[in-house]
Amino acid sequence: MRILIVEDEINLATPLKKGIEKHGYAVDLAHDGKAGYDLASINPYDCIILDLNLPEMDGIEVAKKLREEGTDTPILMLTARSAQNEKIEGLEMGADDYLTKPFNYQELILRLKALIKRYHPEQTETLSAHGIELDPGKHGVTIEGDVIELNRKEFAILEYLLRNKGRVVSQEELLEKVWNQEVNIFTNTIRTQILNLRKKIDPNKNVIQTIRGVGYKIND
Ligand code: CA
């Protein structure tokens, strides 16, 4: 799953990005409203964490424009403690929830998960195929009940392939859904991750199929 953080305070944004990534999300960062709006317009995010006071374009304007254009990605707005009116305005303009600064990090993660769950109830259900069970909420994978340790990317790839069970997923699609913007990436990276994933969950290569020249598929 992919998250966008729009926050101009680098001292807050950078650790926030790292913290959220630990929960298995791919995270993009924008440091002003215009850059955030541009990213949100072109990428498929599962949630946007949007600061209210931003240079170039404020958070309310960003939320308003995205909603006017039909983007329904959940928005969690970050506000200053004093800005009661702006909170209300933010919610009216399309934010789904807000958190007052300074906020508790655990609470932000809980709100983020709750928002994603509310908008994509299917995304928190356990996914399974070929004896593999993946629990997106607990971030756990088992095979026939045995716990398997996957790194973040391996987990995200497996999750995406399981969600799209029965369908071929191209490398471009995996790049778009599983990686964030700033990683300078080659298709080799995907091949390497798939190779490592297979070693852990699919040594006999009968779970993840390679469709040559097209992509990857997990059969129903
Ligand atoms: Ca700010």
Side-chain angles (χ1 to χ4, degrees), residues 85-159:
N85 291 337
E86 290 174 324
K87 257 178 228 168
I88 295 163
E89 199 184 342
L91 290 170
E92 278 174 354
M93 288 307 165
D96 301 275
D97 197 1
Y98 66 84
L99 209 51
T100 306
K101 288 179 183 176
F103 51 80
N104 175 292
Y105 171 73
Q106 290 305 328
E107 185 171 4
L108 179 122
I109 296 291
L110 287 176
R111 299 276 191 102
L112 184 65
K113 286 187 173 172
L115 271 182
I116 291 173
K117 189 173 179 177
R118 185 161 14 126
Y119 280 80
H120 307 281
E122 77 289 354
Q123 294 207 346
T124 53
E125 284 163 19
T126 299
L127 305 164
S128 61
H130 307 272
I132 298 170
E133 295 218 323
L134 181 147
D135 183 335
K138 290 183 185 148
H139 205 68
V141 176
T142 58
I143 299 180
E144 312 291 355
D146 293 332
V147 175
I148 306 293
E149 297 291 340
L150 298 183
N151 72 27
R152 266 185 270 151
K153 279 291 168 265
E154 292 160 358
F155 185 92
I157 290 171
L158 181 61
E159 180 179 0

Side-chain angles (χ1 to χ4, degrees), residues 143 148-150 154 191-205 208:
I143 299 180
I148 306 293
E149 297 291 340
L150 298 183
E154 292 160 358
R191 286 200 201 104
T192 308
Q193 297 284 356
I194 294 267
L195 195 74
N196 293 336
L197 188 56
R198 277 193 176 129
K199 279 185 197 153
K200 292 179 183 176
I201 63 155
D202 186 21
N204 301 321
K205 295 189 179 175
I208 302 172

Side-chain angles (χ1 to χ4, degrees), residues 6-9 12 51-55 78 101:
V6 192
E7 169 62 76
D8 56 318
E9 287 169 55
L12 175 63
D51 186 32
L52 188 80
N53 295 311
L54 291 165
L78 304 178
K101 288 179 183 176

Side-chain angles (χ1 to χ4, degrees), residues 160-161 164 167-179 187 190 194 211 213-217:
Y160 195 76
L161 291 176
N164 293 280
R167 180 170 80 76
V168 182
V169 174
S170 68
Q171 295 193 335
E172 292 75 25
E173 190 177 342
L174 277 177
L175 280 178
E176 186 183 281
K177 302 284 185 178
V178 174
W179 268 267
T187 46
I190 295 187
I194 294 267
I211 314 295
V214 187
Y216 303 97
K217 179 177 151 185

